[in-house]
Amino acid sequence: MTQTENSAPQPLPEDWSRALAVVAHPDDLEFGASSAIARWTGQGKHVTELLVTKGEAGIDSLPPEECAPVRMAEQRASAATVGVTTVEFLDFPDGTLEYGLPLRRALAEAIRRHRPEVVVSINFRENFGDMRFFNHADHRVLGPALLDAVRDAANRWVFPEQLTDGLEPWSQVRFVAFGSSPRATHYVELGEEHLAAGVASLADHAVYLSNLDGFDQESFLPQAAAQAGAWAGVPLATGFEVFDG
């Protein structure tokens, strides 16, 4: 599956049955990847969502202790909209996520426990294509930690204290796919129904979106899907930067 970023885009393989989607915040998956998740759950695949934070620092008008329950509830509703029934939250601090052993350890444990064939996340590069804003610090931290954790999960001598009660190393992650990356190598073709589910899943973050000034949630995903489709040579798509597991 090895590709360079200058290669022609390739369809993301779908001959797998179990994925773990790992992102920093509620709403991260909904800016593109959830449309692909809707396609996959429609195929009968099992997708679990793992949120590293509870998004408690994401709404200026709500203090963290009030914000976290709101954003967790919105994420559960959003996941259900695209066919995901299992949503888990870690307890790392929103906005100040740090690369290090605690994060790698928690991610490796989740990978060993859920035993995914595929891991999905979102862009950890410095920006999003031609957009000029700097990517969120938590996103930039999580990507490298997640790639390292995939390797950690496979090595029984890394975090060996986890290997109790039947938990074993897991070396069967085939690839890690990062949505919305400016270095996308692969694409998932979307039907209108997948895109509609993705739009609805984003809309489930109603409180969060109501605090974003000037964001047009109705047009964002359709425009992005059409642009990715033009890149991929299909009507609608979403792109992923892919690393071998």
Side-chain angles (χ1 to χ4, degrees):
M1 163 169 288
T2 302
Q3 300 283 327
T4 70
E5 62 189 270
N6 295 319
S7 300
Q10 299 294 314
L12 192 77
E14 294 183 326
D15 56 339
W16 49 270
S17 61
R18 195 168 58 255
L20 179 64
V22 184
V23 290
H25 316 106
D27 84 80
D28 284 348
L29 287 169
E30 287 65 50
F31 283 89
S34 281
S35 297
I37 290 174
R39 173 183 167 103
W40 295 330
T41 58
Q43 295 170 340
K45 303 183 193 304
H46 185 269
V47 180
T48 296
E49 293 185 4
L50 177 67
L51 288 296
V52 174
T53 81
K54 297 173 182 175
E56 69 274 8
I59 300 177
D60 184 69
S61 61
L62 286 179
E65 65 274 14
E66 295 179 22
C67 185
V70 170
R71 300 205 69 197
M72 293 168 71
E74 290 188 337
Q75 187 61 41
R76 292 188 181 103
S78 178
T81 296
V82 293
V84 173
T85 58
T86 304
V87 182
E88 296 182 358
F89 295 86
L90 300 178
D91 199 26
F92 287 87
D94 181 13
T96 57
L97 198 62
E98 293 182 309
Y99 179 94
L101 292 179
L103 180 57
R104 283 172 51 191
R105 181 180 292 110
L107 296 174
E109 189 279 335
I111 292 166
R112 287 169 166 171
R113 181 161 45 86
H114 289 290
R115 301 166 72 85
E117 299 161 77
V118 173
V119 173
V120 177
S121 190
I122 65 162
N123 177 34
F124 65 90
R125 303 296 185 179
E126 291 186 351
N127 56 33
F128 288 84
D130 59 359
M131 297 183 185
R132 295 184 180 181
F133 64 85
F134 203 46
N135 196 0
H136 195 295
D138 289 351
H139 301 167
R140 291 183 284 113
V141 165
L142 178 59
L146 183 58
L147 289 168
D148 287 338
V150 168
R151 183 181 292 114
D152 295 336
N155 187 336
R156 73 172 55 254
W157 308 120
V158 178
F159 311 130
E161 71 282 0
Q162 295 177 351
L163 303 182
T164 61
D165 299 324
L167 196 66
E168 291 291 335
W170 181 248
S171 60
Q172 303 304 310
V173 175
R174 291 173 50 190
F175 58 85
V176 186
F178 293 89
S180 304
S181 172
R183 303 186 188 182
T185 54
H186 293 69
Y187 67 92
V188 173
E189 184 173 3
L190 304 175
E192 293 284 354
E193 70 277 19
H194 310 132
L195 178 58
V199 171
S201 74
L202 179 58
D204 284 324
H205 294 274
V207 176
Y208 175 73
L209 292 173
S210 70
N211 284 266
L212 296 183
D213 292 333
F215 177 68
D216 183 357
Q217 68 186 70
E218 296 297 325
S219 65
F220 178 82
L221 288 178
Q223 289 177 357
Q227 291 171 356
W231 165 74
V234 298
L236 298 170
T238 189
F240 291 88
E241 181 178 6
V242 174
F243 293 82
D244 292 337

